[in-house]
PDB file of all heavy atoms in Angstrom:
ATOM      1  N   TYR A1366     -76.268-107.450  93.913  1.00  0.00           N
ATOM      2  CA  TYR A1366     -76.616-106.331  93.364  1.00  0.00           C
ATOM      3  C   TYR A1366     -76.042-106.188  91.930  1.00  0.00           C
ATOM      4  O   TYR A1366     -76.663-105.622  90.977  1.00  0.00           O
ATOM      5  CB  TYR A1366     -76.150-105.008  94.203  1.00  0.00           C
ATOM      6  CG  TYR A1366     -74.723-104.765  94.158  1.00  0.00           C
ATOM      7  CD1 TYR A1366     -74.047-103.841  93.390  1.00  0.00           C
ATOM      8  CD2 TYR A1366     -73.875-105.465  95.043  1.00  0.00           C
ATOM      9  CE1 TYR A1366     -72.705-103.616  93.307  1.00  0.00           C
ATOM     10  CE2 TYR A1366     -72.485-105.260  95.174  1.00  0.00           C
ATOM     11  CZ  TYR A1366     -71.903-104.267  94.297  1.00  0.00           C
ATOM     12  OH  TYR A1366     -70.482-104.176  94.312  1.00  0.00           O
ATOM     13  N   LYS A1367     -74.932-106.720  91.746  1.00  0.00           N
ATOM     14  CA  LYS A1367     -74.266-106.802  90.325  1.00  0.00           C
ATOM     15  C   LYS A1367     -75.081-107.801  89.467  1.00  0.00           C
ATOM     16  O   LYS A1367     -75.316-107.503  88.194  1.00  0.00           O
ATOM     17  CB  LYS A1367     -72.968-107.251  90.417  1.00  0.00           C
ATOM     18  CG  LYS A1367     -72.102-106.228  90.878  1.00  0.00           C
ATOM     19  CD  LYS A1367     -70.494-106.605  90.884  1.00  0.00           C
ATOM     20  CE  LYS A1367     -69.566-105.609  91.363  1.00  0.00           C
ATOM     21  NZ  LYS A1367     -68.259-106.257  91.522  1.00  0.00           N
ATOM     22  N   MET A1368     -75.467-108.780  89.976  1.00  0.00           N
ATOM     23  CA  MET A1368     -76.275-109.958  89.297  1.00  0.00           C
ATOM     24  C   MET A1368     -77.520-109.289  88.820  1.00  0.00           C
ATOM     25  O   MET A1368     -77.873-109.602  87.740  1.00  0.00           O
ATOM     26  CB  MET A1368     -76.399-111.101  90.097  1.00  0.00           C
ATOM     27  CG  MET A1368     -76.936-112.393  89.469  1.00  0.00           C
ATOM     28  SD  MET A1368     -77.502-113.604  90.669  1.00  0.00           S
ATOM     29  CE  MET A1368     -79.143-113.129  91.141  1.00  0.00           C
ATOM     30  N   LEU A1369     -78.292-108.713  89.658  1.00  0.00           N
ATOM     31  CA  LEU A1369     -79.526-108.226  89.439  1.00  0.00           C
ATOM     32  C   LEU A1369     -79.501-106.974  88.453  1.00  0.00           C
ATOM     33  O   LEU A1369     -80.266-106.926  87.462  1.00  0.00           O
ATOM     34  CB  LEU A1369     -80.161-107.521  90.667  1.00  0.00           C
ATOM     35  CG  LEU A1369     -80.602-108.623  91.791  1.00  0.00           C
ATOM     36  CD1 LEU A1369     -81.149-107.905  92.960  1.00  0.00           C
ATOM     37  CD2 LEU A1369     -81.670-109.657  91.161  1.00  0.00           C
ATOM     38  N   LYS A1370     -78.361-106.126  88.471  1.00  0.00           N
ATOM     39  CA  LYS A1370     -78.203-105.205  87.414  1.00  0.00           C
ATOM     40  C   LYS A1370     -78.106-105.837  86.058  1.00  0.00           C
ATOM     41  O   LYS A1370     -78.807-105.185  85.143  1.00  0.00           O
ATOM     42  CB  LYS A1370     -76.969-104.294  87.852  1.00  0.00           C
ATOM     43  CG  LYS A1370     -76.860-103.052  87.180  1.00  0.00           C
ATOM     44  CD  LYS A1370     -75.779-102.158  87.629  1.00  0.00           C
ATOM     45  CE  LYS A1370     -75.639-100.815  87.005  1.00  0.00           C
ATOM     46  NZ  LYS A1370     -74.580-100.085  87.298  1.00  0.00           N
ATOM     47  N   LEU A1371     -77.420-106.754  85.934  1.00  0.00           N
ATOM     48  CA  LEU A1371     -77.061-107.480  84.690  1.00  0.00           C
ATOM     49  C   LEU A1371     -78.448-107.965  84.117  1.00  0.00           C
ATOM     50  O   LEU A1371     -78.750-108.039  82.878  1.00  0.00           O
ATOM     51  CB  LEU A1371     -76.151-108.625  84.789  1.00  0.00           C
ATOM     52  CG  LEU A1371     -74.724-108.197  84.906  1.00  0.00           C
ATOM     53  CD1 LEU A1371     -73.895-109.486  85.145  1.00  0.00           C
ATOM     54  CD2 LEU A1371     -74.243-107.563  83.640  1.00  0.00           C
ATOM     55  N   GLU A1372     -79.265-108.359  84.952  1.00  0.00           N
ATOM     56  CA  GLU A1372     -80.657-109.110  84.680  1.00  0.00           C
ATOM     57  C   GLU A1372     -81.744-108.035  84.634  1.00  0.00           C
ATOM     58  O   GLU A1372     -82.950-108.377  84.298  1.00  0.00           O
ATOM     59  CB  GLU A1372     -81.016-110.265  85.592  1.00  0.00           C
ATOM     60  CG  GLU A1372     -79.917-111.332  85.575  1.00  0.00           C
ATOM     61  CD  GLU A1372     -80.212-112.461  86.449  1.00  0.00           C
ATOM     62  OE1 GLU A1372     -81.429-112.658  86.881  1.00  0.00           O
ATOM     63  OE2 GLU A1372     -79.307-113.179  86.880  1.00  0.00           O
ATOM     64  N   GLY A1373     -81.383-106.757  84.931  1.00  0.00           N
ATOM     65  CA  GLY A1373     -82.460-105.690  84.893  1.00  0.00           C
ATOM     66  C   GLY A1373     -83.625-105.999  85.972  1.00  0.00           C
ATOM     67  O   GLY A1373     -84.614-105.572  85.697  1.00  0.00           O
ATOM     68  N   ILE A1374     -83.174-106.462  87.071  1.00  0.00           N
ATOM     69  CA  ILE A1374     -84.088-106.666  88.179  1.00  0.00           C
ATOM     70  C   ILE A1374     -83.740-105.688  89.254  1.00  0.00           C
ATOM     71  O   ILE A1374     -82.510-105.462  89.671  1.00  0.00           O
ATOM     72  CB  ILE A1374     -84.036-108.097  88.699  1.00  0.00           C
ATOM     73  CG1 ILE A1374     -84.375-109.138  87.663  1.00  0.00           C
ATOM     74  CG2 ILE A1374     -84.814-108.261  89.980  1.00  0.00           C
ATOM     75  CD1 ILE A1374     -84.161-110.595  87.998  1.00  0.00           C
ATOM     76  N   LYS A1375     -84.707-105.064  89.869  1.00  0.00           N
ATOM     77  CA  LYS A1375     -84.456-104.042  91.031  1.00  0.00           C
ATOM     78  C   LYS A1375     -83.864-104.731  92.317  1.00  0.00           C
ATOM     79  O   LYS A1375     -84.228-105.750  92.741  1.00  0.00           O
ATOM     80  CB  LYS A1375     -85.886-103.380  91.300  1.00  0.00           C
ATOM     81  CG  LYS A1375     -85.771-102.331  92.316  1.00  0.00           C
ATOM     82  CD  LYS A1375     -87.193-101.645  92.601  1.00  0.00           C
ATOM     83  CE  LYS A1375     -87.113-100.634  93.716  1.00  0.00           C
ATOM     84  NZ  LYS A1375     -87.210-101.219  94.936  1.00  0.00           N
ATOM     85  N   TYR A1376     -82.888-104.076  92.673  1.00  0.00           N
ATOM     86  CA  TYR A1376     -82.193-104.530  94.001  1.00  0.00           C
ATOM     87  C   TYR A1376     -82.961-104.021  95.134  1.00  0.00           C
ATOM     88  O   TYR A1376     -83.136-102.802  95.353  1.00  0.00           O
ATOM     89  CB  TYR A1376     -80.641-104.050  93.990  1.00  0.00           C
ATOM     90  CG  TYR A1376     -79.919-104.361  95.230  1.00  0.00           C
ATOM     91  CD1 TYR A1376     -80.007-105.639  95.763  1.00  0.00           C
ATOM     92  CD2 TYR A1376     -79.163-103.427  95.693  1.00  0.00           C
ATOM     93  CE1 TYR A1376     -79.163-105.922  96.960  1.00  0.00           C
ATOM     94  CE2 TYR A1376     -78.223-103.650  96.817  1.00  0.00           C
ATOM     95  CZ  TYR A1376     -78.419-104.918  97.539  1.00  0.00           C
ATOM     96  OH  TYR A1376     -77.642-105.140  98.541  1.00  0.00           O
ATOM     97  N   ASN A1377     -83.545-104.833  95.963  1.00  0.00           N
ATOM     98  CA  ASN A1377     -84.296-104.624  97.043  1.00  0.00           C
ATOM     99  C   ASN A1377     -83.375-104.620  98.330  1.00  0.00           C
ATOM    100  O   ASN A1377     -83.378-105.630  99.046  1.00  0.00           O
ATOM    101  CB  ASN A1377     -85.539-105.497  97.168  1.00  0.00           C
ATOM    102  CG  ASN A1377     -86.500-105.159  98.224  1.00  0.00           C
ATOM    103  OD1 ASN A1377     -86.500-104.024  98.665  1.00  0.00           O
ATOM    104  ND2 ASN A1377     -87.376-106.026  98.639  1.00  0.00           N
ATOM    105  N   GLU A1378     -82.664-103.602  98.653  1.00  0.00           N
ATOM    106  CA  GLU A1378     -81.650-103.683  99.628  1.00  0.00           C
ATOM    107  C   GLU A1378     -82.159-103.965 101.008  1.00  0.00           C
ATOM    108  O   GLU A1378     -82.955-103.288 101.607  1.00  0.00           O
ATOM    109  CB  GLU A1378     -80.859-102.252  99.582  1.00  0.00           C
ATOM    110  CG  GLU A1378     -79.595-102.379 100.454  1.00  0.00           C
ATOM    111  CD  GLU A1378     -78.690-101.164 100.271  1.00  0.00           C
ATOM    112  OE1 GLU A1378     -79.184-100.235  99.509  1.00  0.00           O
ATOM    113  OE2 GLU A1378     -77.615-100.995 100.947  1.00  0.00           O
ATOM    114  N   PHE A1379     -81.464-104.940 101.655  1.00  0.00           N
ATOM    115  CA  PHE A1379     -81.802-105.402 103.009  1.00  0.00           C
ATOM    116  C   PHE A1379     -81.007-104.436 103.916  1.00  0.00           C
ATOM    117  O   PHE A1379     -79.780-104.148 103.768  1.00  0.00           O
ATOM    118  CB  PHE A1379     -81.278-106.729 103.317  1.00  0.00           C
ATOM    119  CG  PHE A1379     -81.608-107.252 104.543  1.00  0.00           C
ATOM    120  CD1 PHE A1379     -82.868-107.667 105.015  1.00  0.00           C
ATOM    121  CD2 PHE A1379     -80.674-107.460 105.585  1.00  0.00           C
ATOM    122  CE1 PHE A1379     -83.142-108.166 106.260  1.00  0.00           C
ATOM    123  CE2 PHE A1379     -80.711-107.973 106.784  1.00  0.00           C
ATOM    124  CZ  PHE A1379     -82.115-108.252 107.109  1.00  0.00           C
ATOM    125  N   PRO A1380     -81.649-103.854 105.006  1.00  0.00           N
ATOM    126  CA  PRO A1380     -80.921-102.825 105.860  1.00  0.00           C
ATOM    127  C   PRO A1380     -79.849-103.408 106.717  1.00  0.00           C
ATOM    128  O   PRO A1380     -79.051-102.542 106.981  1.00  0.00           O
ATOM    129  CB  PRO A1380     -82.078-102.379 106.719  1.00  0.00           C
ATOM    130  CG  PRO A1380     -83.112-103.462 106.733  1.00  0.00           C
ATOM    131  CD  PRO A1380     -83.057-104.134 105.372  1.00  0.00           C
ATOM    132  N   GLY A1381     -79.937-104.561 107.115  1.00  0.00           N
ATOM    133  CA  GLY A1381     -78.762-105.184 107.790  1.00  0.00           C
ATOM    134  C   GLY A1381     -78.942-105.067 109.279  1.00  0.00           C
ATOM    135  O   GLY A1381     -79.555-104.179 109.801  1.00  0.00           O
ATOM    136  N   VAL A1382     -78.459-106.102 110.120  1.00  0.00           N
ATOM    137  CA  VAL A1382     -78.590-106.056 111.421  1.00  0.00           C
ATOM    138  C   VAL A1382     -77.196-105.744 112.031  1.00  0.00           C
ATOM    139  O   VAL A1382     -76.272-106.309 111.592  1.00  0.00           O
ATOM    140  CB  VAL A1382     -79.175-107.491 111.962  1.00  0.00           C
ATOM    141  CG1 VAL A1382     -78.996-107.629 113.320  1.00  0.00           C
ATOM    142  CG2 VAL A1382     -80.318-107.911 111.240  1.00  0.00           C
ATOM    143  N   GLU A1383     -77.176-104.896 113.024  1.00  0.00           N
ATOM    144  CA  GLU A1383     -75.947-104.550 113.678  1.00  0.00           C
ATOM    145  C   GLU A1383     -75.431-105.661 114.554  1.00  0.00           C
ATOM    146  O   GLU A1383     -76.090-106.234 115.335  1.00  0.00           O
ATOM    147  CB  GLU A1383     -76.101-103.406 114.406  1.00  0.00           C
ATOM    148  CG  GLU A1383     -74.806-102.460 114.785  1.00  0.00           C
ATOM    149  CD  GLU A1383     -74.951-101.224 115.395  1.00  0.00           C
ATOM    150  OE1 GLU A1383     -75.912-100.525 115.018  1.00  0.00           O
ATOM    151  OE2 GLU A1383     -74.217-100.960 116.298  1.00  0.00           O
ATOM    152  N   TYR A1384     -74.131-106.167 114.429  1.00  0.00           N
ATOM    153  CA  TYR A1384     -73.669-107.327 115.292  1.00  0.00           C
ATOM    154  C   TYR A1384     -73.472-106.602 116.668  1.00  0.00           C
ATOM    155  O   TYR A1384     -72.886-105.490 116.907  1.00  0.00           O
ATOM    156  CB  TYR A1384     -72.319-107.792 114.752  1.00  0.00           C
ATOM    157  CG  TYR A1384     -72.423-108.569 113.493  1.00  0.00           C
ATOM    158  CD1 TYR A1384     -71.817-108.095 112.343  1.00  0.00           C
ATOM    159  CD2 TYR A1384     -73.172-109.687 113.370  1.00  0.00           C
ATOM    160  CE1 TYR A1384     -71.819-108.906 111.145  1.00  0.00           C
ATOM    161  CE2 TYR A1384     -73.328-110.495 112.196  1.00  0.00           C
ATOM    162  CZ  TYR A1384     -72.638-110.068 111.186  1.00  0.00           C
ATOM    163  OH  TYR A1384     -72.743-110.711 109.937  1.00  0.00           O
ATOM    164  N   GLN A1385     -73.801-107.465 117.696  1.00  0.00           N
ATOM    165  CA  GLN A1385     -73.500-106.954 118.997  1.00  0.00           C
ATOM    166  C   GLN A1385     -72.101-106.673 119.621  1.00  0.00           C
ATOM    167  O   GLN A1385     -71.824-105.844 120.413  1.00  0.00           O
ATOM    168  CB  GLN A1385     -74.211-107.918 120.132  1.00  0.00           C
ATOM    169  CG  GLN A1385     -73.511-109.333 120.168  1.00  0.00           C
ATOM    170  CD  GLN A1385     -74.091-110.177 121.293  1.00  0.00           C
ATOM    171  OE1 GLN A1385     -75.249-109.977 121.747  1.00  0.00           O
ATOM    172  NE2 GLN A1385     -73.401-111.286 121.586  1.00  0.00           N
ATOM    173  N   ASN A1386     -71.199-107.332 118.850  1.00  0.00           N
ATOM    174  CA  ASN A1386     -69.855-107.131 119.199  1.00  0.00           C
ATOM    175  C   ASN A1386     -69.154-106.172 118.038  1.00  0.00           C
ATOM    176  O   ASN A1386     -67.794-106.188 118.120  1.00  0.00           O
ATOM    177  CB  ASN A1386     -69.023-108.447 119.293  1.00  0.00           C
ATOM    178  CG  ASN A1386     -69.355-109.192 120.592  1.00  0.00           C
ATOM    179  OD1 ASN A1386     -70.071-108.637 121.298  1.00  0.00           O
ATOM    180  ND2 ASN A1386     -68.871-110.479 120.643  1.00  0.00           N
TER     181      ASN A1386
END
Side-chain angles (χ1 to χ4, degrees):
Y1366 71 96
K1367 287 187 184 170
M1368 183 188 97
L1369 295 177
K1370 198 172 179 188
L1371 285 173
E1372 297 181 26
I1374 297 170
K1375 185 175 176 280
Y1376 177 43
N1377 185 17
E1378 192 171 357
F1379 181 77
V1382 172
E1383 204 176 317
Y1384 291 119
Q1385 67 175 13
N1386 287 353

